[in-house]
Amino acid sequence: MNSPPETPPAAERSDAELLSAHANGDPHAFSEIVKRHRDRMWAVALRTLGDPDEAADAVQDAFVSAYRKASTFRGEAAVTTWLHRIVVNACLDRMRRKSVRPVADDELIEAAERDTPLPDQTLEREVSMEVSAALKLLPADQRAALVLVDMMGYSVEDAAQVLQVPSGTVKSRCARGRAKLAPILSHLRNRSDLTRVSSAKGAELRDG
C-alpha cells in the first residue's frame, strides 16, 4: 500500500499554494505568507500613510482581512497583487476616516519651507523625509498611485490591478499628483543618484 505523498515544507510552496492550504485548514501556511510579504506591505503602508504607527495598524488590518478572505482568492492576479490591494485599501480607509482634504499648491510650498531637514541627517534620509512629507499632503487616491508607480516601481498596469481602476485612471492620478509635488520637490531633481537609490530600494521591496 502506497503512503500518501508528503506535503512539501511551507517555504517550498508557492504563495497560491500556501493561500489554498490556509483556506483548507493548514495552521502554518498563513504565517509563511506573512513572513514573505510583511516587509513589502509595510513599505507600501508607510509610504502611503507617512506614519509608522498608522502603517503598522494598516498592515495588521490587512493581514487580518487577508486571513479571513483567503477562500475568496481566485488566482486572477498574483497573491502579491492581491495582498497589496488589501493593504492599499486599508491605508485608504484610514486616510478617509481622517477626512484628508486636497491641499492647494501654495500650502505645499509653505509646508516644504517649514519642514527643513536637520543638518546632521544624511542626504538620502533628507530626501526621503521631504518626499514623505509632501506625499502626506496629496489626496488619498493620488498618493496611493504615486507610491505604487514612482516609489515601489510598479508598472501602470500592475498598479491598476492593485487599485482596481483602469490604467488611464492611474496615469491621471499620477500626473495630477506629480504636478502638485513639482513646486516643492523641484530642488531634488539634481539628486538623480539618490532617486536611483530610492527606486532600487522600492523595486527590491516589491520583488522580494
Side-chain angles (χ1 to χ4, degrees):
M1 180 176 177
N2 294 329
S3 59
E6 292 186 6
T7 301
E12 296 179 7
R13 286 186 277 177
S14 70
D15 290 339
E17 289 171 337
L18 287 170
L19 205 58
S20 176
H22 163 67
N24 290 324
D26 186 326
H28 307 296
F30 197 78
S31 62
E32 179 64 23
I33 290 177
V34 172
K35 180 180 177 182
R36 289 181 187 180
H37 295 282
R38 61 190 173 195
D39 288 345
R40 280 170 284 182
M41 292 178 70
W42 164 255
V44 170
L46 182 61
R47 288 169 171 173
T48 303
L49 293 169
D51 181 291
D53 292 332
E54 287 285 333
D57 289 342
V59 171
Q60 179 174 321
D61 291 347
F63 273 128
V64 169
S65 179
Y67 184 94
R68 293 172 176 169
K69 295 179 178 179
S71 61
T72 68
F73 179 73
R74 295 291 178 259
E76 297 170 355
V79 172
T80 298
T81 301
W82 182 74
L83 289 172
H84 281 193
R85 181 182 302 158
I86 293 173
V87 76
V88 167
N89 285 336
C91 292
L92 294 177
D93 286 344
R94 288 185 169 275
M95 292 162 68
R96 289 170 186 139
R97 286 201 296 267
K98 289 175 176 283
S99 299
V100 177
R101 64 178 178 84
V103 181
D105 291 343
D106 56 347
E107 292 178 272
L108 287 169
I109 295 171
E110 290 175 7
E113 292 173 348
R114 287 197 307 270
D115 298 333
T116 303
L118 297 175
D120 60 338
Q121 292 173 320
T122 66
L123 198 58
E124 184 178 343
R125 180 164 177 77
E126 288 177 15
V127 171
S128 178
M129 291 179 66
E130 289 182 67
V131 172
S132 295
L135 280 170
K136 287 199 294 186
L137 300 175
L138 292 179
D141 57 352
Q142 294 174 21
R143 191 192 312 183
L146 281 176
V147 165
L148 291 173
V149 175
D150 286 356
M151 302 189 75
M152 297 302 295
Y154 272 71
S155 68
V156 169
E157 291 73 21
D158 288 343
Q161 277 198 323
V162 171
L163 298 173
Q164 294 184 291
V165 298
S167 296
T169 301
V170 174
K171 290 180 182 178
S172 176
R173 291 176 181 178
C174 286
R176 293 199 303 271
R178 290 173 189 137
K180 280 189 171 291
L181 294 179
I184 64 168
L185 298 179
S186 59
H187 61 290
L188 301 180
R189 288 175 183 167
N190 293 330
R191 303 182 188 180
S192 58
D193 54 330
L194 290 177
T195 301
R196 288 194 297 270
V197 170
S198 178
S199 299
K201 286 184 177 179
E204 180 181 349
L205 286 166
R206 183 196 69 220
D207 299 330

